[in-house]
Amino acid sequence: QQNDANDNLKNNNHPKDTRMQLPKQYYAKGNYFKLENQKSPFTRLIYPLPDPKGGLGVHATMDLSGSTRFGPDVQWLPPDFDGSEDENIDWNVDAERSKLFYDAIREYWPGLEDGNLVPDYTGVRPKLWNPDLRNSCSKSDNNDDGGDEGVSNN
């Protein structure tokens, strides 16, 4: 009987009730901007308060060459995007979002001068919820279970 169980595992013949149901993933594009023409005051990573619309907020990171980058922001991709390589994603940094970056960065660094952020790179990352969709799996609008408001404790 042990061999039958091993064969079932190998051949993916699991009884339906033991299969783990994976949650739907939502995807967000993150833009990054690089600091130029101004000395960064930072020697450590800077993480502001998380953004309630998703993400950790526009944070500051330093690379090995000493350059400072800010990002990512959260630019939600369509809910039907499934992460396939053949999907049409504009991988360019959306330069129009620089005003949002200046505003976010000046919350913790008021000395950032105009014109010193240049588009750098983008990335796409999966999320377990999308604040624009009511039925995303890991976000809850009620607090009936006694946990933190807005967080599912299931």
Side-chain angles (χ1 to χ4, degrees), residues 77-121:
L77 298 177
D80 59 345
F81 176 77
D82 66 2
S84 299
E85 291 293 327
D86 60 353
E87 299 269 351
N88 288 333
I89 297 176
D90 181 0
W91 289 102
N92 295 305
V93 173
D94 184 352
E96 297 288 318
R97 297 179 76 85
S98 67
K99 180 177 178 351
L100 300 171
F101 274 74
Y102 280 102
D103 292 345
I105 296 163
R106 286 179 175 143
E107 289 289 318
Y108 57 88
W109 182 29
L112 173 62
E113 297 171 8
D114 286 340
N116 289 346
L117 293 180
V118 296
D120 197 23
Y121 67 96

Side-chain angles (χ1 to χ4, degrees), residues 3-4 22-23 28-29 43 54-55 80 88 93 105 115 126 128 137:
N3 285 341
D4 289 340
L22 296 178
K29 174 182 169 184
T43 58
D80 59 345
N88 288 333
V93 173
I105 296 163
L128 292 178
C137 78

Side-chain angles (χ1 to χ4, degrees), residues 21-40:
Q21 192 71 12
L22 296 178
K24 175 166 176 43
Q25 292 184 338
Y26 302 92
Y27 293 86
K29 174 182 169 184
N31 296 279
Y32 288 81
F33 284 80
K34 184 177 179 180
L35 179 67
E36 289 192 350
N37 303 317
Q38 185 175 359
K39 185 174 181 341
S40 173

Side-chain angles (χ1 to χ4, degrees), residues 128-143:
L128 292 178
W129 66 279
N130 180 324
D132 297 331
L133 302 175
R134 290 184 153 254
N135 294 327
S136 309
C137 78
S138 293
K139 187 77 173 159
S140 170
D141 290 330
N142 65 43
N143 195 19

Side-chain angles (χ1 to χ4, degrees), residues 14-21:
H14 303 275
K16 196 168 192 113
D17 60 337
T18 63
R19 290 187 185 190
M20 186 170 96
Q21 192 71 12

